[in-house]
Each structure stands twice: as C-alpha cells, then as structure tokens.
Amino acid sequence: MQLNKSLLVVITALIFGNEFLAQEIQRKEPEFLKYTNSKWVDSVMTELTPDERIAQLLMIPAFSNKDEEHKKEVLKYIREYKIGGLIFMQGDPKSQLKLMNEYQQASKVPIIGAIDAEWGLGMRLDNTISFPYQMGLGAIQDEELIYEMGVEVARQLKRTGLHINFGPVVDVNNNPQNPVINYRSFGEDKLNVTQKGIAYMKGMQSENLLATAKHFPGHGDTDTDSHYALPQINHPFERLDDLEMYPFRELINEGIGGVMVAHLDIPALDSTGTPSTLSKPIITGILKERLGFKGLIVTDAMNMKGVAEGNEPGVVDKEAILAGNDLLEFSEDIPKAISEIRKAIDEGIITQKKIDARCRKILAVKQWVGLDNYEPLPVENIEKELNKPEAKLLNRKLVEASLTLLKNENSLLPLRRLDSLKIASVSIGASEITEFQKTLKLYTRVDDFQLDREANTTDIENLKEKLEDYNLVIVGLHDFSIRSRNQIQLSEDVQKFISELSESKNSIFSIFKNPYVLDKLENIENSAVLIEAYQDTEISQELSAQLIFGGIGATGKLPVSVGEKFKAGDGLELNGGLRFKYTNPEDAGMDSKKLGNAIDSLMNEAIDMKATPGGVVLVARDQKVVFHKAYGLHKYSDTIKVERSDIYDLASVSKISTALPALMKLYDEGKFDLQAGIEDYLPYFNNSNKEDIAFRQILAHQARFKPWIPYWKNTLRDNGSFKWYTFKKDSSARYPVRVSDELWLHRNYKKKIYKAIKKSPLEAEAKYKYSGLVFYLLPEIVGKISNEDFVDYINTNFYDKLGATTVTYNPSKKFPIERIVPTESDFNFRNEEIHGNVHDEGAIMMGGVSANAGLFANANDLAKLMQMYLNMGEYGGLRYINEATLREFTKTQFPENDNHRALAFDKPYLEYKGENSNTAKDASSDSFGHTGFTGTMVWMDPKEDLLYIFLSNRVLPTRNNTRLYKLNTRTKIQQALYDSILE
C-alpha cells in the first residue's frame, strides 16, 4: 500500500524530530516546477535528441562588446549544439538586446538568458543603474526597500531579454579579509543576511525572474578567491549547518528558484578534497536531500581555477552533472562536455532519465519566465526605459536608508547654528571638487580643499595651516577603486593626518569606502561625527552631505563588525527634514518627465524668442528641491553659460526679502505696529499727507501712494546736465555714494529722496495701486526700531542663520563678477551696462540698499528664505517668525475693496483672469509671492507645500523688452508645476 505524502511526513517527523516536520510543512517549492510536465515542455522534449537534451544543461558566456567573430562563435553553439542558455557579460543594453533577439531567432529552443546582476544591470552593462552593493543594503532596516529593488532589477533584466539573475549573494561574510565576497555580502549576521536575501529574492520572483542564491554552502569565511584557487573552509558540520547554510535553508523554505554552488573544499562536508561544485555528498546529499531543494542547481563559473585547476574541460562538466547540478555556467568545451556526459550515460554512471528530468526542469524555468510564447523585444528607447525616474529614485532611497551614523558626539548633527560656523571641507583621495563638497555648499558657505592620498608632510602642513581659520572641518574619505574593497592605500602622512583630525572635536568624517577600512584608520572611532557610506558614488556623496545638514536622516545599522571599534548592528538614528532635501520629483509626488519637459520647452521658447538671455528655475515641494536648472547665457552677445549658482538682481522680490522679514520679527516683539504710520517711526513725516495712514494700508498697496518717483530725473537740469549738488565724476567725502565709476552722489541726497516721497501727492481714492515709495524708507525704519544697522540686522537675524550666503546687497563687493548676471544696458542714466550693481535707479541712489530693490541672490539661497515663509516661520530647526504673524502677513487684507494683496506679499487675483492673471490657474488662494521688474518671480503655495523660483535678466539689453510678459513664461511654468503633481 502506498502512503500519502502527509502521512509520510508525520512518520518521518516521529523519527527525526519536530524540526524536520516544521521545515517540511513550511517549505515552498519553486513555482516553475509546476511546468515540468506541461504540454509545452512535453512538446519540446519530443523534438530534442538525447544529446540536445544534454546541451540544454550547458550555458556559455556572451559579450555585447566583442567583435563579429565572437557572435559567430555563440551562434555556432546555438545552431549546432542547441545549448540551453547564455550568461551575458560586459557590454551595453542596446547591443545586448539586439544580440539576444538574434540568438533567440537562431535557436531551436528559446535560449534562457542569465547575468550576474547582484546590484543590478550596472554590475555588467554600461549606461544602466547600479544599485548599492549588498554590504550597503545590509545596513538598511526596511526590507520593503530591498523587495522593491528586486522588483525593479527583475523589470530591467527582463527588458534586456534576460530571465535569471545569479543573485542574491547570501554568503555570511564573517571574514574581513575575504577578497571575493566581502562587500557583495549583506553582512556577518545570518539573520540579517537571510531577511535581506528573502526580500530581494521575492521581489525578483514576483516578476517571474528566477533568483539564484549563491554561493552554496557558504563562501563567506575564507581569505582565498575561488577565481584563482580552491578555498578551504575548516569548520565542523554543526557550525556550517547553523551559520553558513542557514540563509540557504531559509531561502529554500521560502521558494527560491535557483541555488548556485561554490567552488570550495569543505572537509566536514566532503573529506575527499573535491570542490563542492563536483561533490555529490554536498550537492545531492545536503542541498537536495537534507535541505530538500528541488529547484534549479547552477554551478559557479566552470572556468574559475577553484574548479578548473587540474580538471580537464568537458570532463569536469560531466563530474558536475554527476554531482547533481542542473545547469553548468561558463562551460569551456561544449562538444567535449556533451561527449563526456553521453559516455557516462552509456556506461550506466547516470541515466538518460535523470538527464531528461534536469532538461525538463530547465524547460520548466523557460516556460515560467514566458519563453513558451517568446517574441523579440524592441530595442528602441531601451536605455531610457532602464533609467526611469522611478528606478533612479529607488536607488536614492536605498543609498539614503543605508547611510550609517556611527558617531555623533554632543548631537553635533544635524548642524544647526550655521551663523556660528566657519566650515572647511577636505576631500581625501580626490583631485578636484567632489559631489560631496558641491552638495555641502548648497547649505551654507563651505570652503573646499583636496588632499591627494599620497600626500607628503609638506602638503599636509600647508593644509593644516589653512584649516586653522575654521571651527569645523568636514572630511570625505574617497575610494581609489570602483569596487568597495577592504584597502586604504594612503600614505603614512595622510593616515597620520586622519588620526590627528579624528582626535579633534570639530571634525566630521564621511567614509565612502568599505566599512572594514575603519579598522585600519587609527583613532577614527574618536571622531566627533563618523558616517559610513559604504561606496564612493555621486549619490552616496550627495546624500552624506545632506545628512550632515539635516536634509535627510539616518537609519542604517552596520552590517559587519569592525575589529574592536564597532559591532554589527551599531548605528545611531537621526531625524531628517530639518533643511532642504535635494532629490527627484517623484520623491515629492511629481512627474519628472512632465515637469522637466514643460519647463525646458518654455524656457527654450523664451530664450529663442529673446525674451531673456537665460535664467534659473528652482522648484521645491514638501521641502524637497526637485528641480533646479540653469538655462541660456548671461547675455545674448557672449558665451558665458548660466550656472545654477549664478547671482541675479531680484528687483522687487527685494520687497518681501529684506525689510519685510525684519518687520515681521519686530511685529512679533511688539516693536512694530501695523496700525502705526510712517511718522511714528520717522518723525520727519509728521504733518505730511502721509500722516495717520496705517502700515496695514501701506503694505497692502492701498494707501493712495503714487507708484514711483523718477528720482534720478530730478537731478537733471533742463539742458540734461546734472545739478551741482547731485553728482560728481569722482568720489570724495561729500560725494561718497557710488552710482557708477563716473557718477558719485552727494552724501545728503537721501534727504532729497525722502523729501520727494513726503511731498508726493496722494491718489484720490483708497483702492489698490501698487507703490514702491515706502520701501525706500523701510531700511531706516527697521534700523531705528531695532537700534541696529539695517543690513547687519537682516544678515544676523535671517540670511546668516539660513546659510543664505549669496543673499546680499552690492554683490560685486563680495563675489567675483563672473558669478553675477548682468542686467540692463543703461543709456539714460549711468551710460553703462549694469553688472554687479542694482538695476533700479532709486535703489542705487540709496547706496544700493533699499527694500524696494537692490537685493541679489542665487536661486538656492533665496529658496531658503522663501521656504521659511512656506513653513510659516521655521527652517533649519530655528523659528524666525511666529506662525500667526506669517499667516497675518500672507492673507488678503482688503478683499472687500477688490484688493487681492497681502502685506507686501502679492496674492492671486480674487478672480482668475486667464492669461492676464498674475498666477497660474491652479495656484490656491492661500498662495503668496512676488515678481520683479528684471524678470524674477517667487511663489509659495501652502496648500501643495510648493515653492517656485524664477530668476532671469529679461531687461538685458533693455527694459523695453517685454516678451517675457507677452509669452507669459513665468506663469506658464508655474502651471506646469501643478500639472506635474501626481494624483
């Protein structure tokens, strides 16, 4: 009588214990096995000769970067011998897919394509994404991210015509000197390795891509590379079973489709010295029978010396089949392999039935991955599809989640009081400014230095002398290799410098190298802040810099122990969201393709139509900068391209960026009253027609003030020459105010401006009419209320703390002229091109310092101030203005009077007026901002947590150029932001 399976399991459990029962009941068989006896597999089997069935077990390498001879050789093996698969090596995705389509066309049975893509296609193919090495992934605490990576890796492999990934690596790397696994392992903890391996496997197999756990029974504890020799692992069976084989057992229980066998000598498992790839006791006895694995068993490459040394090609393939392998990778002699396996069948060493069963298993895999309905894949757009924004964002998320904060003394990170810090960055091992350093500069002023990894004493002493001027030094230790190996290769002098700097309490280290390297750096564990980033990539550099300033947080845990310095599992948690995160649009729920295409199109149109020579657009959502791009040239007649860091004249955006934040702060302190008038702060205005007009009315632009006064024209005589008490060609104590190199204004002329404002008539009716007159007075009002110099006050209380280092008046005194974008060619007043000085005539006559105009900034620094507004007064962990105050100042003040304005801030029109509106159709009624005469615009929308900055110099060469207005470029771009928000 035949026992059913359930009864057999129970009897077996009684004999061997409950552990066996639990494993047997929980084990999931690989999904592809259901096709082993399918109609399609049956039909293919009937068409294959016995030798062709053997050939289905063989796989050869294919390159997409080799010549026509290589392709002919591969085609020969496909056509003549009917091999079962190809493992693709170096090349590019487009060439590979073209070849795969051609190979499939030539094959009697669809070819199965495999690749080593442990960290994605970037491991083998150019122009594709490299996800983090598994050591970095081992630091991640969210397995869902690893699963998502598996899904994405599967999508990418399938798009390139592939069906098997020889991954994940589930070797437990418990030997820091391991030269071949090391950074390819999830770490030294078997549970962590297992959890990550299962997540990665399930992600891939959810998309019907076969995953292959490697390198069975465990390649982690060896200091020998099996590519060059046969490693020996001398541990007792109990240790191997409990540690090395644990992840394999668990992945098998979870239904992994494939297992790759390593080339190892493991006496406790096979005392004969036979490489594990050729060992029947290991493959059949342990993997198949003891662990119950029924899936696809694959050899590691058969050309590696760990198995090839002393073994004849073809013969060694036969031995691998006899040991129990199903698929042989990198078979070196296909004809000989087929002949030797056929001979073994003829001699009764193995039966044709067993070969057929393995052939069926491989065909079942082919059906499971969809090769029973094979169609050629299109080559067009493949690289674009492989590099989708969603995949790039996932890569960033993985790197971000891996960053491991090992030290953070006195909670130094995230850096807070930027106004108290003078920061230097040192990149060790980099010859030019790095992405790490560039990203640090986005947050505040950081002076950068480079130090060669072979630097000598003189080089280091020179650097140390320069660093004495700084109270914080941020060090990036960069890798010399594209692989994250356990090597430092630093001169003794550099190592000593690192050791000395580590003892300082004003040093931050970010290590873009293998974590094992930390054990080779003396005193590194004493540094105030230590970040382990695992790899030296642009993304890891960018995100490490963002971590330092609180743009992102840290959750990573060290996956390996580092000598006595750090243990596996070490890692401090740190919250992010303190300052801007620089990321992809999808990270903020926006479509990067829609956003980028729309802005590019509109900016290119504006430049082509000569509406502006160039410009910069910055977009942030949820305090994440998702778009920041420069366009065009500084001016039409030169070749200087606009850079994102270029500094622009903000024009009337100054109104909300200078005196206004000061007034709001003073309002918080009870020192500024919206019901007060100008005369309450400037007694000179007593008994004027401006008396008793409340600031609430003035700032909302319904105080009946005239829009503007042409102050410079008041300096002219009827014949066009300047009045004697106004300008001179040279500076002097009496004429100290520089308007141009040949125009120096009288020191008391400000009084004339004040007088003109005081005497100016009022409009007849109190309704909305935009006026800049009071903004000429506000710097003095702020100075009188605060009892501080106006510029010092706004620098100290706002710009310095924000790290907004380019937000300034008179930028030519602080920055190289090539960083400042020129504005108008002035042929009426100054008779020169305005470059580095304020465009507005009134503001330049005030010494360049006015709240009406005069402020300069780059987009990134201006965004910090605007984000503070959007956050209702808070940014970088500091509160600048009370929330209630910002809500008061940003709300429409007099809607009943058909006035849409807030206090100094502009607001959307009360009714949308189509192309004639001042904002995009979808801008909410809560939104606020301002525009500037030079072609600038800033806008914030609390409803969508959306920030938009547009900088241009549309007035070059002349203010008469109004094409930017006619094209409505700024507002159309603003609408594109809303259009790109994902549902």
Side-chain angles (χ1 to χ4, degrees), residues 583 585 592 595-596 599-600 617-620 624-629 631:
T583 183
S592 57
L595 184 68
I599 298 176
D600 287 352
V617 178
L618 182 147
V619 180
K624 299 171 183 177
V625 175
V626 298
F627 189 93
H628 187 195
K629 190 171 181 179
Y631 297 86

Side-chain angles (χ1 to χ4, degrees), residues 82-97:
K82 311 300 188 294
I83 58 169
L86 298 171
I87 174 170
F88 277 88
M89 306 302 287
Q90 293 86 358
D92 67 87
K94 191 171 183 180
S95 300
Q96 175 180 293
L97 185 54

Side-chain angles (χ1 to χ4, degrees), residues 971-982:
T971 306
K972 286 180 179 177
I973 289 177
Q974 186 185 30
Q975 182 58 45
L977 313 190
Y978 292 96
D979 293 341
S980 73
I981 294 175
L982 299 167

Side-chain angles (χ1 to χ4, degrees), residues 200 528 627 683 933-934 969:
Y200 193 5
F627 189 93
F933 188 72
T934 53
T969 302

Side-chain angles (χ1 to χ4, degrees), residues 561-666:
S561 295
V562 180
E564 297 300 317
K565 296 180 178 181
F566 301 103
K567 298 301 179 187
D570 283 354
L572 305 171
E573 293 193 8
L574 191 70
N575 292 327
L578 196 71
R579 297 187 177 88
F580 278 130
K581 178 181 183 180
Y582 297 86
T583 183
N584 298 4
E586 282 72 16
D587 199 15
M590 301 177 80
D591 186 314
S592 57
K593 184 177 179 181
K594 271 189 179 180
L595 184 68
N597 288 349
I599 298 176
D600 287 352
S601 176
L602 290 164
M603 285 300 295
N604 291 332
E605 176 192 45
I607 292 168
D608 290 344
M609 296 293 290
K610 293 194 176 335
T612 179
V616 176
V617 178
L618 182 147
V619 180
R621 190 175 189 225
D622 300 333
Q623 201 169 281
K624 299 171 183 177
V625 175
V626 298
F627 189 93
H628 187 195
K629 190 171 181 179
Y631 297 86
L633 306 171
H634 276 206
K635 52 185 180 178
Y636 298 112
S637 59
D638 66 19
T639 58
I640 302 175
K641 292 182 178 180
V642 178
E643 301 290 341
R644 296 189 306 176
S645 58
D646 283 344
I647 298 166
Y648 277 83
D649 184 335
L650 303 182
S652 283
V653 171
S654 302
K655 289 181 172 69
I656 64 167
S657 307
T658 56
L660 185 64
L663 290 178
M664 287 191 279
K665 178 175 173 57
L666 294 168

Side-chain angles (χ1 to χ4, degrees), residues 686-709:
N686 277 318
N687 303 316
S688 73
N689 61 358
K690 311 295 184 301
E691 191 174 17
D692 293 330
I693 299 177
F695 264 103
R696 187 181 294 277
Q697 296 276 348
I698 296 170
L699 293 176
H701 296 279
Q702 70 166 35
R704 297 190 292 147
F705 288 4
K706 293 292 183 184
W708 68 294
I709 297 172

Side-chain angles (χ1 to χ4, degrees), residues 720-739:
S721 63
F722 290 111
K723 297 173 183 177
W724 73 270
Y725 57 85
T726 57
F727 289 105
K728 297 296 181 186
K729 285 191 175 183
D730 294 313
S731 64
S732 65
R734 185 172 288 184
Y735 292 89
V737 182
R738 183 189 177 281
V739 172

